Amino acid sequence: MSDATLGVFAVVVATLLGLVVGSFLNVVVARVPERRSLVTPPSACPACGTPIKPYDNVPVLSWIVLRGRCRACGEPISAQYPLVEAITGVLFGLVVWRFGPGWDAAIALTLTSVLIPLAIIDQRIFKLPNPITYFGAGALLVLCVVAAAATGEWHRLVDAVVSAAVLTGFFYVFSAVFRLVRNKAGLGMGDVKLCVSIGLGLGWLGPRYVLVAFYLSLFLGLVFGVVITRAQRSGLQTKIPFGVFLAGGSILAIFLTPVLSDWYFRSL
Ligand SMILES: [Zn+2]
């Protein structure tokens, strides 16, 4: 096989893997906030409780074949399920297209898999559950150590750890100062803990990825904050799920950092 064929093959495999991972992330989103097991019981229709047959559990396709309804009771099944699967599939394909198969892709894919469920949960209930942020931090640290050992690129492990420490430290201090000045929480500890995963994953790719993610997150959060306060005329009381913007900014940074930093350095 030629290099190009091999590249296309890797992207297709990654997309299929992403669809399956996305299906699992749906389970994470539904169960982790309720502290339910990820393994048992098997998936069932939320309306009638009928267990979902394996042939009705094929990512995206089953939902389309069943026209978004449960086979047993006919109640609608949320479009969020196929949407999360499709988005995860596309992002997995893009990551492998961007980096090629290897340690960089493995680390970017792990970070993406942590960010997707956290963004959805934060948007829904304004929480970033510890089991996911802790898993992300642990898994990415292990991956970075193994990747450094395998490639001998120990300086990238140092970049990852320093990036995580700086990013987490910055948001921790910001959150503490905000609490002191305004006498209420402006930034939750969940956001601070999420920064460990982001710092490690993006720091391994290069410190400039962390910087781009930082600015994109603030920018997205600011735009959303201005739009929502204008719409609701409620001043600064509106709760903003900042984890959504941290996640969105970080995922965008994976793809946009080379373009943005080229443009930045050329404009100097
Ligand atoms: Zn049903």
PDB file of all heavy atoms in Angstrom, residues 238-258:
ATOM      1  N   THR A 238     -25.925  35.692  35.452  1.00  0.00           N
ATOM      2  CA  THR A 238     -26.110  34.509  34.639  1.00  0.00           C
ATOM      3  C   THR A 238     -24.968  33.522  34.837  1.00  0.00           C
ATOM      4  O   THR A 238     -23.804  33.897  34.797  1.00  0.00           O
ATOM      5  CB  THR A 238     -26.181  34.897  33.145  1.00  0.00           C
ATOM      6  OG1 THR A 238     -27.050  36.008  33.020  1.00  0.00           O
ATOM      7  CG2 THR A 238     -26.682  33.736  32.319  1.00  0.00           C
ATOM      8  N   LYS A 239     -25.308  32.278  35.057  1.00  0.00           N
ATOM      9  CA  LYS A 239     -24.305  31.235  35.215  1.00  0.00           C
ATOM     10  C   LYS A 239     -23.779  30.850  33.836  1.00  0.00           C
ATOM     11  O   LYS A 239     -24.566  30.616  32.917  1.00  0.00           O
ATOM     12  CB  LYS A 239     -24.956  30.017  35.865  1.00  0.00           C
ATOM     13  CG  LYS A 239     -24.222  29.531  37.095  1.00  0.00           C
ATOM     14  CD  LYS A 239     -25.001  28.406  37.741  1.00  0.00           C
ATOM     15  CE  LYS A 239     -24.103  27.583  38.614  1.00  0.00           C
ATOM     16  NZ  LYS A 239     -24.813  26.429  39.156  1.00  0.00           N
ATOM     17  N   ILE A 240     -22.472  30.796  33.705  1.00  0.00           N
ATOM     18  CA  ILE A 240     -21.888  30.422  32.420  1.00  0.00           C
ATOM     19  C   ILE A 240     -21.101  29.128  32.600  1.00  0.00           C
ATOM     20  O   ILE A 240     -20.229  29.044  33.461  1.00  0.00           O
ATOM     21  CB  ILE A 240     -20.971  31.552  31.891  1.00  0.00           C
ATOM     22  CG1 ILE A 240     -21.825  32.779  31.535  1.00  0.00           C
ATOM     23  CG2 ILE A 240     -20.175  31.089  30.693  1.00  0.00           C
ATOM     24  CD1 ILE A 240     -21.012  33.987  31.176  1.00  0.00           C
ATOM     25  N   PRO A 241     -21.431  28.081  31.819  1.00  0.00           N
ATOM     26  CA  PRO A 241     -20.684  26.825  31.941  1.00  0.00           C
ATOM     27  C   PRO A 241     -19.314  26.956  31.277  1.00  0.00           C
ATOM     28  O   PRO A 241     -19.143  26.618  30.113  1.00  0.00           O
ATOM     29  CB  PRO A 241     -21.568  25.816  31.215  1.00  0.00           C
ATOM     30  CG  PRO A 241     -22.347  26.623  30.233  1.00  0.00           C
ATOM     31  CD  PRO A 241     -22.445  28.024  30.766  1.00  0.00           C
ATOM     32  N   PHE A 242     -18.316  27.465  32.037  1.00  0.00           N
ATOM     33  CA  PHE A 242     -17.020  27.781  31.422  1.00  0.00           C
ATOM     34  C   PHE A 242     -16.309  26.520  30.909  1.00  0.00           C
ATOM     35  O   PHE A 242     -15.508  26.593  29.976  1.00  0.00           O
ATOM     36  CB  PHE A 242     -16.127  28.543  32.409  1.00  0.00           C
ATOM     37  CG  PHE A 242     -14.897  29.104  31.757  1.00  0.00           C
ATOM     38  CD1 PHE A 242     -15.001  30.015  30.711  1.00  0.00           C
ATOM     39  CD2 PHE A 242     -13.637  28.707  32.167  1.00  0.00           C
ATOM     40  CE1 PHE A 242     -13.872  30.523  30.094  1.00  0.00           C
ATOM     41  CE2 PHE A 242     -12.491  29.221  31.560  1.00  0.00           C
ATOM     42  CZ  PHE A 242     -12.611  30.127  30.523  1.00  0.00           C
ATOM     43  N   GLY A 243     -16.622  25.362  31.528  1.00  0.00           N
ATOM     44  CA  GLY A 243     -16.023  24.110  31.055  1.00  0.00           C
ATOM     45  C   GLY A 243     -16.311  23.838  29.588  1.00  0.00           C
ATOM     46  O   GLY A 243     -15.479  23.258  28.877  1.00  0.00           O
ATOM     47  N   VAL A 244     -17.487  24.277  29.122  1.00  0.00           N
ATOM     48  CA  VAL A 244     -17.852  24.097  27.712  1.00  0.00           C
ATOM     49  C   VAL A 244     -16.858  24.856  26.827  1.00  0.00           C
ATOM     50  O   VAL A 244     -16.410  24.350  25.791  1.00  0.00           O
ATOM     51  CB  VAL A 244     -19.290  24.604  27.447  1.00  0.00           C
ATOM     52  CG1 VAL A 244     -19.619  24.529  25.961  1.00  0.00           C
ATOM     53  CG2 VAL A 244     -20.296  23.822  28.271  1.00  0.00           C
ATOM     54  N   PHE A 245     -16.489  26.066  27.265  1.00  0.00           N
ATOM     55  CA  PHE A 245     -15.589  26.884  26.452  1.00  0.00           C
ATOM     56  C   PHE A 245     -14.138  26.412  26.569  1.00  0.00           C
ATOM     57  O   PHE A 245     -13.374  26.488  25.603  1.00  0.00           O
ATOM     58  CB  PHE A 245     -15.742  28.354  26.834  1.00  0.00           C
ATOM     59  CG  PHE A 245     -17.162  28.798  26.728  1.00  0.00           C
ATOM     60  CD1 PHE A 245     -17.928  29.037  27.850  1.00  0.00           C
ATOM     61  CD2 PHE A 245     -17.768  28.886  25.484  1.00  0.00           C
ATOM     62  CE1 PHE A 245     -19.261  29.388  27.751  1.00  0.00           C
ATOM     63  CE2 PHE A 245     -19.099  29.231  25.363  1.00  0.00           C
ATOM     64  CZ  PHE A 245     -19.849  29.487  26.503  1.00  0.00           C
ATOM     65  N   LEU A 246     -13.758  25.936  27.764  1.00  0.00           N
ATOM     66  CA  LEU A 246     -12.432  25.332  27.912  1.00  0.00           C
ATOM     67  C   LEU A 246     -12.306  24.140  26.967  1.00  0.00           C
ATOM     68  O   LEU A 246     -11.298  23.964  26.277  1.00  0.00           O
ATOM     69  CB  LEU A 246     -12.218  24.859  29.354  1.00  0.00           C
ATOM     70  CG  LEU A 246     -11.721  25.880  30.368  1.00  0.00           C
ATOM     71  CD1 LEU A 246     -11.689  25.262  31.755  1.00  0.00           C
ATOM     72  CD2 LEU A 246     -10.335  26.395  29.991  1.00  0.00           C
ATOM     73  N   ALA A 247     -13.365  23.298  26.938  1.00  0.00           N
ATOM     74  CA  ALA A 247     -13.348  22.112  26.078  1.00  0.00           C
ATOM     75  C   ALA A 247     -13.342  22.512  24.604  1.00  0.00           C
ATOM     76  O   ALA A 247     -12.532  22.012  23.818  1.00  0.00           O
ATOM     77  CB  ALA A 247     -14.548  21.222  26.390  1.00  0.00           C
ATOM     78  N   GLY A 248     -14.247  23.428  24.245  1.00  0.00           N
ATOM     79  CA  GLY A 248     -14.332  23.868  22.849  1.00  0.00           C
ATOM     80  C   GLY A 248     -13.037  24.525  22.387  1.00  0.00           C
ATOM     81  O   GLY A 248     -12.531  24.229  21.299  1.00  0.00           O
ATOM     82  N   GLY A 249     -12.479  25.415  23.225  1.00  0.00           N
ATOM     83  CA  GLY A 249     -11.231  26.102  22.882  1.00  0.00           C
ATOM     84  C   GLY A 249     -10.090  25.115  22.715  1.00  0.00           C
ATOM     85  O   GLY A 249      -9.246  25.259  21.824  1.00  0.00           O
ATOM     86  N   SER A 250     -10.068  24.071  23.557  1.00  0.00           N
ATOM     87  CA  SER A 250      -8.984  23.089  23.501  1.00  0.00           C
ATOM     88  C   SER A 250      -9.091  22.223  22.254  1.00  0.00           C
ATOM     89  O   SER A 250      -8.079  21.923  21.603  1.00  0.00           O
ATOM     90  CB  SER A 250      -9.005  22.196  24.740  1.00  0.00           C
ATOM     91  OG  SER A 250      -8.884  22.989  25.896  1.00  0.00           O
ATOM     92  N   ILE A 251     -10.321  21.810  21.905  1.00  0.00           N
ATOM     93  CA  ILE A 251     -10.501  20.987  20.700  1.00  0.00           C
ATOM     94  C   ILE A 251     -10.140  21.810  19.463  1.00  0.00           C
ATOM     95  O   ILE A 251      -9.440  21.335  18.565  1.00  0.00           O
ATOM     96  CB  ILE A 251     -11.941  20.445  20.616  1.00  0.00           C
ATOM     97  CG1 ILE A 251     -12.146  19.375  21.703  1.00  0.00           C
ATOM     98  CG2 ILE A 251     -12.228  19.846  19.237  1.00  0.00           C
ATOM     99  CD1 ILE A 251     -13.551  18.837  21.814  1.00  0.00           C
ATOM    100  N   LEU A 252     -10.584  23.072  19.427  1.00  0.00           N
ATOM    101  CA  LEU A 252     -10.227  23.940  18.290  1.00  0.00           C
ATOM    102  C   LEU A 252      -8.717  24.120  18.210  1.00  0.00           C
ATOM    103  O   LEU A 252      -8.139  24.125  17.122  1.00  0.00           O
ATOM    104  CB  LEU A 252     -10.910  25.303  18.432  1.00  0.00           C
ATOM    105  CG  LEU A 252     -12.401  25.358  18.099  1.00  0.00           C
ATOM    106  CD1 LEU A 252     -12.950  26.755  18.384  1.00  0.00           C
ATOM    107  CD2 LEU A 252     -12.631  24.989  16.632  1.00  0.00           C
ATOM    108  N   ALA A 253      -8.064  24.248  19.384  1.00  0.00           N
ATOM    109  CA  ALA A 253      -6.617  24.485  19.413  1.00  0.00           C
ATOM    110  C   ALA A 253      -5.858  23.317  18.770  1.00  0.00           C
ATOM    111  O   ALA A 253      -4.829  23.521  18.114  1.00  0.00           O
ATOM    112  CB  ALA A 253      -6.134  24.702  20.846  1.00  0.00           C
ATOM    113  N   ILE A 254      -6.370  22.074  18.952  1.00  0.00           N
ATOM    114  CA  ILE A 254      -5.702  20.909  18.366  1.00  0.00           C
ATOM    115  C   ILE A 254      -5.527  21.109  16.856  1.00  0.00           C
ATOM    116  O   ILE A 254      -4.504  20.771  16.281  1.00  0.00           O
ATOM    117  CB  ILE A 254      -6.518  19.614  18.640  1.00  0.00           C
ATOM    118  CG1 ILE A 254      -6.493  19.287  20.135  1.00  0.00           C
ATOM    119  CG2 ILE A 254      -5.981  18.443  17.819  1.00  0.00           C
ATOM    120  CD1 ILE A 254      -7.378  18.105  20.520  1.00  0.00           C
ATOM    121  N   PHE A 255      -6.547  21.710  16.217  1.00  0.00           N
ATOM    122  CA  PHE A 255      -6.517  21.840  14.765  1.00  0.00           C
ATOM    123  C   PHE A 255      -6.022  23.205  14.287  1.00  0.00           C
ATOM    124  O   PHE A 255      -5.422  23.321  13.230  1.00  0.00           O
ATOM    125  CB  PHE A 255      -7.918  21.575  14.193  1.00  0.00           C
ATOM    126  CG  PHE A 255      -8.440  20.227  14.596  1.00  0.00           C
ATOM    127  CD1 PHE A 255      -9.416  20.097  15.563  1.00  0.00           C
ATOM    128  CD2 PHE A 255      -7.900  19.074  14.034  1.00  0.00           C
ATOM    129  CE1 PHE A 255      -9.877  18.855  15.948  1.00  0.00           C
ATOM    130  CE2 PHE A 255      -8.346  17.822  14.421  1.00  0.00           C
ATOM    131  CZ  PHE A 255      -9.337  17.708  15.380  1.00  0.00           C
ATOM    132  N   LEU A 256      -6.283  24.261  15.074  1.00  0.00           N
ATOM    133  CA  LEU A 256      -6.013  25.614  14.576  1.00  0.00           C
ATOM    134  C   LEU A 256      -4.652  26.176  14.985  1.00  0.00           C
ATOM    135  O   LEU A 256      -4.200  27.168  14.428  1.00  0.00           O
ATOM    136  CB  LEU A 256      -7.106  26.577  15.063  1.00  0.00           C
ATOM    137  CG  LEU A 256      -8.519  26.290  14.537  1.00  0.00           C
ATOM    138  CD1 LEU A 256      -9.496  27.357  15.026  1.00  0.00           C
ATOM    139  CD2 LEU A 256      -8.525  26.235  13.013  1.00  0.00           C
ATOM    140  N   THR A 257      -3.984  25.535  15.990  1.00  0.00           N
ATOM    141  CA  THR A 257      -2.745  26.125  16.505  1.00  0.00           C
ATOM    142  C   THR A 257      -1.683  26.369  15.426  1.00  0.00           C
ATOM    143  O   THR A 257      -1.113  27.461  15.365  1.00  0.00           O
ATOM    144  CB  THR A 257      -2.184  25.274  17.656  1.00  0.00           C
ATOM    145  OG1 THR A 257      -3.127  25.286  18.725  1.00  0.00           O
ATOM    146  CG2 THR A 257      -0.852  25.816  18.149  1.00  0.00           C
ATOM    147  N   PRO A 258      -1.410  25.385  14.534  1.00  0.00           N
ATOM    148  CA  PRO A 258      -0.385  25.661  13.523  1.00  0.00           C
ATOM    149  C   PRO A 258      -0.753  26.858  12.652  1.00  0.00           C
ATOM    150  O   PRO A 258       0.087  27.726  12.387  1.00  0.00           O
ATOM    151  CB  PRO A 258      -0.355  24.370  12.692  1.00  0.00           C
ATOM    152  CG  PRO A 258      -0.954  23.325  13.567  1.00  0.00           C
ATOM    153  CD  PRO A 258      -1.954  24.026  14.433  1.00  0.00           C
TER     154      PRO A 258
END
